[in-house]
Amino acid sequence: MWHLPFAPHAASVEEVASTLHTTPQGLSSHEAERRLKQVGPNHIQKAPSISLWKILWHQFSSPFIYLLIAAVGISLLLGDYVDAIVIAAVLILNAIIGFIQEYNAERAVEALRSMTAPQATVLRNGVEQRIPAAHLVPGDVVLLESGVRVPADIRLSETILLQVDESLLTGESNPVYKDPSILPADTLLADRKNMVYAGTIITSGRGRGYVVATGALTELGRIAESLSQTERGRIPLLERMERLAKIIGIFILSGIALIFSLGLLFGYSLVEMFKVGVGVAVAAIPEGLPIVLTVTLGRRVWAMARRNALVRRLAAIETIGRATVIGSDKTGTLTENRMTVQVFWTDGTKWKPNPLNKGEIDALQSLALEISILSNEAELADERYRESGSGDPTDLALLWAAVEAGYSPKALRAAQPEALRIPFEPELRYSASFRQKSESGYTLYVKGAPEKVISLCSHRLTREGPVPIDSSFILEAVASLAQEGMRVLGLAYKPELSALPSPPFLLSDLIFVGLVGLMDPPRAGVPQAVADCHAAGIRVLMITGDHAATAQAIAAQIGIFTPEVITGEILQQLSPEQLEEKIEKVNVYARVSPQQKLEIVRLLQKKGEIVAVTGDGVNDAPALKAAHVGISMGKEGTDVAREASDIILADDNFVTIRNAVEEGRIAFQNIRNATFFLLSTGAASIILFLIAILLGWPMPILPAQLLWLNLVTNGLQDVAMAFEPALPGLMRQKPRPPNEGIISPVLWERTLLVALLMAGVIAYLFWYEYHLTGDLAKAQTVALTTFVLFQNFHIGNARSEYLSAFRLSPFRNPFLMGAAITALGIHAAALYLPPTQFVLRVVPIEWEAWLRSILFALSVIGVGEAHKWIRSAQRAWHG
């Protein structure tokens, strides 16, 4: 009922008041109560309660988990309680981690509710009063002052030097001046200077205005609704694990069915074949894989934390490693989030004062620095530390540049006390300070927009003295600095004033001294990090709320090149087809709205890209949640952005994103290699039993021995693979194809080759020992031992998909070397200790049998190396 039929920023204050049936004295208490009943309280509606049982159930609803549950049941049937407990522990650990991650991820809307103001100052019945912000209604007149959080969306009617921090909505790092003037209907949210929005903060000045939207109808409420309706981006690792689980399940069930059927066909007993079937099932199911997954990702969580990246969703570690596009905010991530003086311009020359080199500065340069201090409203509590400053960021930058040049603002201001100040106002476009230099004399110092300052001047100061001002000469310099993405200010002064002026202050006949160019500069290391991402095949986009010229200049400095910059205004005018075409080439987007940022993310995902997005404000939350990986800021970010994200940057630095990509690639490298190791040995056990049954042999390995193999040998070495460091050239590889599984086609091929080799050799040595000695227990022990040795040698092959095992030092991963030695030592001891001999039904074997097993097991290295060489050569040939 109280929704305006027009955009309030495009209507006059009187039209807004008339439509809302209100007056400058505000609503009556009775009318406010009536409206509150109609529109409801001014807060974001709480989302439905999260069902904890539903979240818990999600943790057990994947094909791979079903396989592990089956493995627990089979282990219990065989009486192998240790294996059953280990697998069950893995299931419980994964469920706990998944439960915590999913529960935390759903709290973003709740965090949004804390962004609303608890109290508001309004006019009711013409009287100023404080009320709960939840009781605000459309038509209320709200009073605003410095430090207040805006309680609703408000059309301003009056402002006095009002500045607002809108960074949580627009991404704009600097406070925005406000005034009530009418604006065009198509003005972007970031440029609506006659509006203030719920959740933003008044940094200085005062104002008042009419409430035009409350609760869910505010911009903050719309973001909350968008966030609650936005599906979290699917984690590619989980999708690929589900696909792999289905493949493994089909393979194992098919293999067991075949073994069971052939066994019965060839005369084996039903009981015997059941035991063999369940033994093969437990041996073939890679229950070590969830352990490897958890340990690998946990290891990378620790490594990323050391590199200033905090992980909220475990699987996001691997996803960031396969990102094909990173959409980064500008302010604070790519830049320092600190205005800094880049250059001064005086008498046609650019210069920057070197720190503490005051003696090298000439008189004209010294005057420019003095104007920077004396026309300045900022303060430095301790001139040794920039962080001690307070005031406008631009003023602080000017003060600090003078301090670095060896000047003391406090001393200079004390020597020239301020007699009169004209504060900066948007209409004036300059600020001025009259300083007393003698008992009867004053000097006027002015800084402001170059065009305005030039219009107040009659002369320009050169090293030889004042000359008549040439506006075009100065404006050329202004244009040159602006093209470099700098904010440009003009500096002027007027010496030897005998008296202070009276209002209105009509300044004229000033002497133009120079220009100063300021910028929020790129962070150290960012250009190299961007170059590293490009070398890794990752496209880097800048998606910012800042102005197009600034965005383009910073992008060029850090190596993000783009044929054009697309602004939010241009995005509004593009058709979906035009945007699809542009998004493939354009790398810089400026002045974009939250919905537009979300649209960019979804369009990139539609094109098959794996998208990582950074953000720090409330406005970024929907895009953070929708992206495959949302990355928020730990220092400057809002709680809402952090709740919606998967990874938090403790230092707000793009360099950390590059490091996270590397850690993610290491994680996938180790998960892939461990999975290959487990699958190839599991496949070998199935093929081995098929050979034995087809040839009518006794079982070459007993079910209990299969469990021993699975628990001891695999259980140590696959976990140790989680500690493998990055392979050489990892950050020079292109991202893997989005549809590529955990195991690549090359590794599936190698899995089959290795499994056939191991099964064939073990079958041969079993047959050889059985025929040589006639002792079935000894032949089975030889087969088991050969399998253990195969795994020990095969682990070297599994450390890299293409790189030769001989190029990787065993000392790169001491955990793996220790695990291999330990596993072999435990197995050797088991052959000679009576308790394990009894449980496993193994017997000691002669040194000749050990030698044969070692020599034959070494063949896996040769086969692996040959396959790597062939596939590497083919890859090099095809580019």
Side-chain angles (χ1 to χ4, degrees):
M1 177 178 287
W2 298 107
H3 182 65
L4 291 174
F6 50 77
H9 63 272
S12 67
V13 173
E14 294 75 20
E15 188 178 359
V16 170
S18 174
T19 305
L20 292 172
H21 302 293
T22 186
T23 69
Q25 286 72 46
L27 301 170
S28 67
S29 297
H30 173 73
E31 177 62 17
E33 288 178 14
R34 188 178 73 84
R35 294 189 185 190
L36 184 60
K37 290 178 181 178
Q38 291 178 333
V39 301
N42 173 38
H43 61 63
I44 298 169
Q45 290 297 320
K46 187 174 181 179
S49 298
I50 303 168
S51 169
L52 301 184
W53 288 110
K54 187 175 181 180
I55 294 175
L56 186 61
W57 173 252
H58 285 168
Q59 313 316 314
F60 294 95
S61 57
S62 81
F64 199 82
I65 296 299
Y66 301 152
L67 286 176
L68 293 185
I69 293 172
V72 172
I74 291 168
S75 297
L76 290 173
L77 282 175
L78 287 172
D80 192 73
Y81 301 113
V82 174
D83 217 21
I85 290 170
V86 170
I87 300 169
V90 171
L91 283 168
I92 293 168
L93 179 63
N94 284 344
I96 291 171
I97 293 171
F99 178 88
I100 293 171
Q101 298 295 334
E102 188 169 339
Y103 178 74
N104 286 340
E106 292 303 323
R107 291 170 52 202
V109 173
E110 191 65 29
L112 268 171
R113 300 177 76 238
S114 69
M115 300 298 297
T116 54
Q119 295 284 313
T121 303
V122 300
L123 288 178
R124 293 260 176 98
N125 306 310
V127 178
E128 183 178 323
Q129 53 186 282
R130 294 277 288 171
I131 65 169
H135 294 175
L136 283 175
V137 295
D140 262 325
V141 174
V142 176
L143 308 182
L144 303 166
E145 61 183 3
S146 180
V148 166
R149 187 181 291 277
V150 178
D153 287 1
I154 297 170
R155 171 62 164 91
L156 294 168
S157 58
E158 297 177 24
T159 60
I160 301 173
L161 300 177
L162 185 67
Q163 283 188 288
V164 183
D165 177 359
E166 296 184 329
S167 58
L168 67 85
L169 276 180
T170 66
E172 174 65 61
S173 57
N174 294 319
V176 179
Y177 274 102
K178 297 289 183 175
D179 82 71
S181 304
I182 300 175
L183 296 168
D186 60 354
T187 303
L188 296 174
L189 185 143
D191 297 321
R192 295 175 190 169
K193 299 190 182 300
N194 58 12
M195 295 286 299
V196 290
Y197 294 99
T200 59
I201 298 173
I202 309 298
T203 57
S204 64
R206 297 191 302 279
R208 67 174 60 193
Y210 297 104
V211 173
V212 295
T214 60
L217 296 179
T218 63
E219 288 297 327
L220 195 65
R222 289 172 182 170
I223 292 173
E225 184 179 2
S226 173
L227 185 59
S228 65
Q229 294 176 354
T230 300
E231 291 187 10
R232 184 170 287 282
R234 288 280 290 167
I235 298 291
L237 176 62
L238 300 183
E239 292 178 340
R240 293 195 305 278
M241 288 300 291
E242 287 181 7
R243 290 203 304 268
L244 179 63
K246 290 175 182 176
I247 294 170
I248 292 171
I250 292 170
F251 176 75
I252 290 174
L253 290 175
S254 301
I256 291 173
L258 185 60
I259 290 171
F260 192 82
S261 302
L262 289 173
L264 294 178
L265 185 64
F266 281 85
Y268 293 92
S269 72
L270 184 65
V271 174
E272 188 177 9
M273 289 315 303
F274 177 77
K275 288 183 177 180
V276 169
V278 293
V280 171
V282 172
I285 292 174
E287 57 261 39
L289 192 53
I291 303 174
V292 171
L293 198 63
T294 301
V295 173
T296 299
L297 297 181
R299 166 72 176 169
R300 301 275 63 88
V301 166
W302 177 79
M304 287 172 74
R306 292 185 64 190
R307 302 176 84 173
N308 295 314
L310 311 177
V311 179
R312 295 186 67 246
R313 294 179 75 198
L314 209 58
I317 300 170
E318 186 274 337
T319 309
I320 187 69
R322 62 187 294 125
T324 58
V325 176
I326 298 174
S328 177
D329 198 5
K330 177 185 72 69
T331 305
T333 307
L334 298 171
T335 65
E336 293 180 358
N337 194 20
R338 184 170 66 174
M339 290 297 285
T340 306
V341 171
Q342 299 297 301
V343 66
F344 281 88
W345 179 94
T346 53
D347 197 18
T349 304
K350 292 181 184 180
W351 56 277
K352 184 173 181 179
N354 294 319
L356 306 178
N357 278 350
K358 186 174 177 180
E360 298 178 7
I361 298 173
D362 62 31
L364 181 54
Q365 294 170 338
S366 179
L367 179 59
L369 288 165
E370 289 178 14
I371 296 171
S372 299
I373 296 171
L374 298 173
S375 64
N376 198 311
E377 297 180 58
E379 298 287 345
L380 281 172
D382 188 332
E383 293 180 356
R384 295 174 298 173
Y385 306 106
R386 176 170 177 160
E387 291 72 20
S388 70
S390 60
D392 181 82
T394 300
D395 282 356
L396 275 174
L398 292 170
L399 272 192
W400 190 247
V403 168
E404 286 192 316
Y407 287 76
S408 170
K410 288 181 181 177
L412 192 59
R413 288 169 172 174
Q416 297 186 52
E418 186 171 69
L420 176 66
R421 169 166 292 280
I422 303 175
F424 179 88
E425 292 188 36
E427 296 81 6
L428 287 177
R429 301 179 66 207
Y430 68 83
S431 62
S433 178
F434 292 85
R435 298 278 176 170
Q436 190 165 4
K437 295 197 75 170
S438 62
E439 291 186 5
S440 58
Y442 303 90
T443 299
L444 169 62
Y445 299 101
V446 176
K447 68 172 170 59
E451 298 83 356
K452 183 63 178 179
V453 174
I454 291 170
S455 72
L456 303 177
C457 297
S458 59
H459 290 77
R460 176 175 65 85
L461 191 61
T462 70
R463 288 176 177 80
E464 288 73 35
V467 297
I469 193 163
D470 180 356
S471 299
S472 60
F473 176 65
I474 301 171
L475 290 174
E476 283 180 11
V478 172
S480 174
L481 294 177
Q483 284 180 351
E484 296 177 38
M486 295 187 204
R487 181 184 180 188
V488 186
L489 296 176
L491 307 173
Y493 85 128
K494 190 172 185 177
E496 301 175 3
L497 293 170
S498 58
L500 295 174
S502 300
F505 303 111
L506 302 175
L507 306 184
S508 62
D509 295 326
L510 275 61
I511 299 173
F512 190 88
V513 175
L515 302 168
V516 56
L518 304 98
M519 178 188 285
D520 176 15
R523 284 179 177 270
V526 166
Q528 183 59 52
V530 170
D532 289 347
C533 287
H534 289 161
I538 302 170
R539 184 179 167 204
V540 181
L541 308 184
M542 180 190 291
I543 307 174
T544 179
D546 213 337
H547 295 279
T550 305
Q552 188 167 28
I554 293 293
Q557 289 184 41
I558 62 177
I560 300 177
F561 301 107
T562 184
E564 61 179 309
V565 176
I566 291 185
T567 63
E569 185 177 0
I570 295 172
L571 279 174
Q572 287 179 335
Q573 300 166 3
L574 293 176
S575 68
E577 294 76 20
Q578 290 173 320
L579 181 55
E580 279 199 39
E581 183 181 345
K582 293 281 188 185
I583 210 165
E584 292 183 355
K585 301 174 184 176
V586 176
N587 295 325
V588 179
Y589 300 84
R591 306 301 273 178
V592 294
S593 70
Q595 191 59 37
Q596 289 170 334
K597 188 169 186 176
L598 179 59
E599 185 181 0
I600 291 169
V601 169
R602 285 176 169 164
L603 194 53
L604 288 166
Q605 290 174 325
K606 182 181 174 183
K607 289 182 169 293
E609 305 286 0
I610 303 296
V611 184
V613 170
T614 75
D616 56 5
V618 174
N619 61 319
D620 297 313
L624 288 171
K625 187 175 180 183
H628 293 105
V629 183
I631 305 169
S632 64
M633 306 299 120
K635 291 170 66 177
E636 301 295 335
T638 60
D639 288 341
V640 181
R642 285 192 282 267
E643 289 292 338
S645 66
D646 307 298
I647 296 173
I648 301 171
L649 303 184
D651 58 357
D652 296 4
N653 195 338
F654 184 85
V655 175
T656 303
I657 300 176
R658 179 262 173 222
N659 295 339
V661 170
E662 182 176 29
E663 293 296 340
R665 291 190 171 193
I666 295 172
F668 183 77
Q669 160 200 294
N670 293 346
I671 291 169
R672 166 172 278 185
N673 293 342
T675 304
F676 162 62
F677 173 73
L678 289 169
L679 292 184
S680 53
T681 53
S685 63
I686 291 178
I687 296 171
L688 174 63
F689 277 88
L690 280 173
I691 293 171
I693 290 170
L694 288 171
L695 296 177
W697 294 351
M699 292 298 103
I701 297 178
L702 298 174
Q705 294 171 347
L706 283 173
L707 293 174
W708 169 261
L709 186 74
N710 199 39
L711 181 64
V712 176
T713 314
N714 278 359
L716 292 175
Q717 296 179 86
D718 56 8
V719 171
M721 291 193 76
F723 296 87
E724 279 288 306
L727 289 168
L730 189 66
M731 284 299 288
R732 293 192 298 274
Q733 297 174 8
K734 302 301 179 189
R736 297 174 301 281
N739 59 349
E740 184 176 289
I742 297 289
I743 299 295
S744 67
V746 169
L747 285 182
W748 278 121
E749 192 177 282
R750 194 173 301 153
T751 297
L752 181 59
L753 282 174
V754 169
L756 287 170
L757 172 70
M758 288 196 288
V761 168
I762 293 168
Y764 170 73
L765 289 179
F766 167 78
W767 174 85
Y768 180 86
E769 192 70 27
Y770 188 39
H771 279 71
L772 182 68
T773 64
D775 187 339
L776 179 59
K778 183 169 287 188
Q780 289 170 333
T781 303
V782 167
L784 176 63
T785 301
T786 307
F787 216 149
V788 169
L789 289 166
F790 260 126
Q791 289 178 327
N792 263 34
F793 295 133
H794 182 45
I795 198 72
N797 279 338
R799 295 174 73 190
S800 170
E801 185 173 356
Y802 289 101
L803 200 62
S804 168
F806 298 106
R807 295 182 59 186
L808 297 174
S809 167
F811 299 103
R812 276 170 47 90
N813 184 358
F815 296 100
L816 185 60
M817 186 169 66
I821 293 170
T822 301
L824 185 58
I826 290 173
H827 176 73
L831 301 188
Y832 301 96
L833 294 175
T836 48
Q837 287 178 342
F838 174 76
V839 172
L840 298 177
R841 282 185 278 177
V842 293
V843 296
I845 57 175
E846 295 79 11
W847 70 267
E848 293 93 346
W850 271 103
L851 183 60
R852 279 194 298 273
S853 293
I854 291 170
L855 292 175
F856 274 96
L858 282 169
S859 64
V860 75
I861 297 177
V863 169
E865 288 294 303
H867 189 259
K868 286 181 183 181
W869 184 84
I870 292 168
R871 286 306 185 196
S872 296
Q874 287 178 336
R875 190 168 67 155
W877 176 262
H878 294 293

